[in-house]
Amino acid sequence: MVVPPHIKQAIPPIVKWLHEHSSSGVIAIVHVRRGDKITNKKYCPKEMRIATSSDHIAKVLKHIGLPNGSAIYVMTDETNFNHFRPLIDIYNYTVATNAHFSHLHRLVAGCQESNMKHRTTSLCENYLLFAIEKELMLTVPQDFRIVTLPRHDVQHNKHYLMKDFLGRGKPCSSL
């Protein structure tokens, strides 16, 4: 996929901000998909809530060796930023989401949707933001990329939040 210039240009200000706010000099990208994943039985909602909690995210960050004081960009559909406050208040990370960067809002606000009659959120905006954040993820070493669920593709990320909960041969909610 060829990444359009306007998407590529959105990345450097975010990376710069993360480096400026990382007292350890290290940055990480964490994809925390909640929304439908914490309500849809297909994704084991109870386990997904635990896996995407700040405490579990901090556990995974510690496991991968991310130093305290590092800056983290959280790719998320979680609308309540307070969900991530413990990462700042308890675990001493600097945390930012797309809401911290006005240039991202301006960029996705120009996204056109052909039929917005019955939607409250533009799919166009969601996909554009995802494309931007996917490119952002590629700016950090693979060891400091974390996703919610495993996905095996060219940009395979070996660390994922649901790792402790999948593949144990147990049904959902058996923790």
Side-chain angles (χ1 to χ4, degrees):
M1 177 180 122
V2 176
V3 180
H6 67 288
I7 290 179
K8 284 189 177 202
Q9 292 168 358
I11 306 303
I14 300 168
V15 174
K16 181 181 179 204
W17 187 94
L18 290 168
H19 280 292
E20 288 172 348
H21 290 83
S22 173
S23 63
S24 72
V26 180
I27 66 173
I29 309 294
V30 182
H31 176 255
V32 182
R33 173 98 181 263
R34 289 178 52 84
D36 62 320
K37 302 286 190 227
I38 60 171
T39 58
N40 187 328
K41 289 183 181 180
K42 173 182 174 184
Y43 298 106
C44 303
K46 178 181 175 187
E47 289 82 353
M48 184 63 74
R49 276 189 213 89
I50 296 167
T52 59
S53 70
S54 288
D55 290 335
H56 187 73
I57 293 168
K59 175 183 168 187
V60 174
L61 292 171
K62 182 177 180 177
H63 173 76
I64 66 171
L66 191 73
N68 285 351
S70 297
I72 304 163
Y73 181 94
V74 179
M75 300 169 48
T76 189
D77 59 353
E78 175 60 59
T79 57
N80 180 6
F81 184 76
N82 286 331
H83 177 78
F84 302 107
R85 288 291 320 170
L87 291 170
I88 299 165
D89 298 339
I90 298 171
Y91 299 104
N92 194 31
Y93 292 112
T94 298
V95 178
T97 66
N98 67 61
H100 291 84
F101 301 98
S102 60
H103 74 287
L104 291 183
H105 290 285
R106 288 190 302 274
L107 186 60
V108 298
C111 201
Q112 300 298 312
E113 188 80 40
S114 59
N115 181 6
M116 285 296 294
K117 193 173 172 182
H118 300 291
R119 290 197 181 113
T120 56
T121 303
S122 168
L123 287 177
C124 181
E125 289 176 4
N126 286 342
Y127 286 123
L128 181 57
L129 186 58
F130 176 75
I132 293 166
E133 291 178 333
K134 186 174 179 182
E135 287 301 309
L136 179 61
M137 185 171 272
L138 297 176
T139 66
V140 301
Q142 194 174 39
D143 284 343
F144 295 117
R145 300 180 202 162
I146 301 169
V147 294
T148 306
L149 292 164
R151 183 169 175 211
H152 303 287
D153 59 12
V154 175
Q155 297 150 353
H156 169 69
N157 297 299
K158 59 185 174 182
H159 306 293
Y160 57 98
L161 298 174
M162 283 292 287
K163 192 171 199 165
D164 292 346
F165 308 101
L166 297 176
R168 294 194 274 168
K170 296 179 182 178
C172 293
S173 300
S174 60
L175 291 178

